[in-house]
Amino acid sequence: MAPSQAAGSAVDPDGLEDRLRRFATIWSRAIFPVTATSLTRPEVEEHLLPLARELSLSLHARPFDPQVAQRVGSALVEAHCTDPEALSRTLGVIDAYLVLYCGSGAPEQTAEESRARCAKLQHALAAGFAQGLRERTLAEQEAIARSSLLARSDAMQALHATEARFSAVFEGAAIGIGIADLEGNVLEVNDTLTRMFGGLEHHVRGRKVTDWAHPEDRPHVWELYRELVRGEREHFRVEKPFYRNDGTVLWTNLTVSLLRDAEGLPEYQLALMEDTTERRLLNLRLRYEATHDALTGLPNRTLFFERLEKALSAGDGARFGLCYLDLDGFKAINDSLGHAAGDRLLVEVADRLQSCATAPGEMVARLGGDEFVALTTGPDTQREVDELATRILTVLGSPICVDGREFSVRGSIGIVEGPAGERTTAEVLRSADITMYRAKSAGGNRFELADPEADARAITRHGLTTALPAALERGEFFIEYQPLVHLGDGSVHGAEALVRWCHPQHGVLGPDQFIPLAEHTGLIVPLGRWVLQEAVRQARYWQERHSDGGPLRINVNLSPAQLHHPGLVTDTVDVLERSGLEPGALCLEVTESALIGADEDLLKPLRQLAEMGVDIALDDFGTGYSNLANLRRLPVSVLKLDRSFTQGMQRHPADPVDLKIVEGIVSLAHSLQLAVTVEGVETGVQAEQLRELGCDTAQGWYYARPGPPDKLHALSLADAV
């Protein structure tokens, strides 16, 4: 490699400078034919290169600031790229090539985000170009105005010389110029102004200024005009529309100046008009593209948030109703048919939704993906929002045909309704999102109304979910132990380890409040390993301190996610070896529902653990499918009967059906060499009945509630005595 090449690689390892150069080359070739400059095309390219660098840096900047592109637009005007075609070609080059050549600078930035930023840069560049062109034109206007004033003043001293000069300025100007008396009668117009109004001079000359009023005139425009003709101001500048002779609208930047006579008295008014119609249409197009979804044509997230904020900030008595819609099962359709078919489905859905929101104060928008929102405002939104949601579900009920196939589209809707001024936009959207997921969890194809208590629970669940990883690192979890009592002699046979979370805000939380969240996030695997380590360590400590030295078993629960984890056997063996606890002193509890339909791949790790001597208990037996014949193929050695079987024994006399069921299960379990443990024992009568029925061990509040390890140790010592 040549030295120069090596140096280039060190300076520009990813070739960004080369890609910027190629981008600038494409840009210069696009705009050079419409650029009024004496520069050569390579010189134009050198001028564009730093501008391309600014766009590239802005594309990846954190935080993102699209206003950089405004300076680029102004720089084009300064480089004499004033032809509107130059702007159009520039926007085309940026749209097609900026992300392609400069979009790989930030790996964390998605392609969708790069495209969204590119669109905003185009908007800002067009705005900068328009501003630069306007400032350049206004400078010309001021020069022309000064020339006009000078020409009028000189006319009184040297009429013939100044007429020629004024005529050259007046007729050759690129902007429209008109002169009127103080009564508003148009006296003179140049050719440019005539062409702006349609090309017929008699339709302009001889008319009165007041004939050109337009419904979209700002309220203060004509007050400024009256102040000028009274001599109270020298000039004013406004954006003003005019009707042309054919009924079309001409938009202008209008500057009107007062011309005074030699004594300083008002005499004439001079109007300078810049035609901004095309620029305005461009801005409107860019605004539309920035506020509407490119696929469906519906208002997008940006416009929806503007409307929602306006609705929420309305005056007293105003109300709003919001329907947050998510299509049920859209991902399956999108994945099976492809994104093109999915897009066509979304377009049809959008059309149907649009037909539902046609009343004043109603709108439908697409937030992204298969999420849509419908907003209604007015004094009676409590009734209207329900009707709107019903109409939406009704129109979605008809099948949609895509690529010759019919699909039934369902939707889940969350409704938030209430008075304006009480909640922020973020709070309303969060409530609507939570409510929509409640509708989806209830089966979909329905709508639910927002409930503050349900919102609070969902927010709490989200907070717990996000706090779980740090809680494990900070040691906020602890274990309580509930004794397993031998029904034959009442001795403590072992204990079940039950994990708790000491949350800084919510206090002590039971496993039912956070274990499902841990399973959903995948944190259940490291949390389960920690519980296993702590429980096994505690069991080993109990064995060492137990008076007779006998084994004290420990039961640890396994979640379905842990069963599928490939490191289950390795982790368990490692924990046992590190603690010195014999495998026979450990019992792993697996719920019956987790093993329904289990194949050999799922049962293999349990078999390996059972072969090592670890007991496997089938927890909550009797609450699921309870295929008794399936017990023979499961590597379990203990059945744990659910507390529902013992509830009937709390009555006197005991429910004979419950007694027969328990007796049958115990008989079957013992015939399969399985021990039986019963949960939820709360009375001595229950305990005695279970002993008579042949159950082996039991646990429940009759013996002890879950508690700290020293409490169980005290029970064990009492048994030993």
Side-chain angles (χ1 to χ4, degrees), residues 2 8 11-12 42 124 140 145 162 206 245 301 321 339 419 422 431 442 453 455 511-512 554 637 645:
V11 173
D12 189 24
E140 293 179 354
T162 56
N245 299 321
R301 179 183 293 269
H339 291 289
E422 293 186 354
S431 179
E453 293 184 0
D455 289 357
D512 58 318
I554 189 71
S637 54
F645 289 104

Side-chain angles (χ1 to χ4, degrees), residues 321-342:
L322 173 66
C323 295
Y324 193 106
L325 167 69
D326 184 88
L327 301 182
D328 300 332
F330 173 74
K331 185 178 184 301
I333 297 176
N334 206 35
D335 292 345
S336 61
L337 296 184
H339 291 289

Side-chain angles (χ1 to χ4, degrees), residues 288 292-299 354:
Y288 180 87
H292 286 76
D293 177 49
L295 175 65
T296 64
L298 291 178
Q354 187 71 65

Side-chain angles (χ1 to χ4, degrees), residues 343-620:
D343 286 349
R344 289 194 290 274
L345 181 68
L346 289 175
V347 170
E348 176 62 26
V349 168
D351 290 342
R352 295 188 181 189
L353 295 180
Q354 187 71 65
S355 69
C356 295
T358 57
E362 294 182 343
M363 73 168 294
V364 172
R366 182 189 179 207
L367 298 186
D370 61 337
E371 294 182 345
F372 298 85
V373 285
L375 177 67
T376 180
T377 57
D380 194 21
T381 54
Q382 289 175 296
R383 174 185 57 82
E384 292 170 352
V385 73
D386 285 358
E387 294 178 353
L388 179 58
T390 301
R391 291 198 301 270
I392 290 174
L393 293 179
T394 300
V395 299
L396 292 179
S398 301
I400 296 177
C401 184
V402 176
D403 294 339
R405 299 174 60 182
E406 285 192 347
F407 294 92
S408 295
V409 179
R410 293 155 48 94
S412 299
I413 299 176
I415 294 178
V416 179
E417 191 279 334
E422 293 186 354
R423 285 174 283 188
T424 65
T425 302
E427 290 171 342
V428 169
L429 264 294
R430 180 176 61 187
S431 179
D433 187 49
I434 292 171
T435 308
M436 180 272 291
Y437 276 106
R438 275 203 293 117
K440 192 175 288 288
S441 299
N445 197 34
R446 58 186 293 136
F447 63 81
E448 293 283 345
L449 300 178
D451 175 22
E453 293 184 0
D455 289 357
R457 290 194 297 270
I459 293 170
T460 299
R461 284 196 302 272
H462 176 74
L464 293 177
T465 301
T466 55
L468 271 170
L472 185 58
E473 294 177 3
R474 289 195 295 262
E476 294 177 2
F477 293 97
F478 67 96
I479 299 177
E480 291 186 331
Y481 299 88
Q482 186 172 35
L484 291 161
V485 177
H486 196 286
L487 286 171
D489 57 12
S491 63
V492 176
H493 177 72
E496 180 179 0
L498 301 169
V499 64
R500 305 286 191 261
W501 182 1
C502 185
H503 193 279
Q505 284 80 40
H506 301 291
V508 176
L509 303 177
D512 58 318
Q513 295 175 279
F514 62 86
I515 290 297
L517 305 179
E519 291 179 335
H520 179 69
T521 60
L523 192 70
I524 190 63
V525 173
L527 177 59
R529 179 181 171 87
W530 178 85
V531 172
L532 181 65
Q533 289 174 330
E534 288 297 303
V536 166
R537 181 192 60 77
Q538 185 62 55
R540 181 59 179 161
Y541 176 78
W542 280 329
Q543 286 186 355
E544 293 172 350
R545 296 291 299 272
H546 203 282
S547 59
D548 61 1
L552 188 65
R553 297 163 56 82
I554 189 71
N555 285 32
V556 179
N557 292 281
L558 287 183
S559 76
Q562 289 175 278
L563 288 177
H564 289 84
H565 190 262
L568 174 61
V569 176
T570 304
D571 286 350
T572 305
V573 171
D574 180 65
V575 169
L576 290 172
E577 289 181 348
R578 287 177 181 272
S579 67
L581 187 72
E582 292 296 324
L586 173 65
C587 179
L588 298 177
E589 297 188 9
V590 184
T591 61
E592 179 188 11
S593 59
L595 296 182
I596 291 177
D599 56 19
E600 286 303 315
D601 289 338
L602 182 62
L603 296 178
K604 182 178 179 181
L606 294 180
R607 292 192 193 281
Q608 292 175 335
L609 292 171
E611 290 167 358
M612 290 169 41
V614 175
D615 279 330
I616 308 297
L618 194 61
D619 196 12
D620 295 338

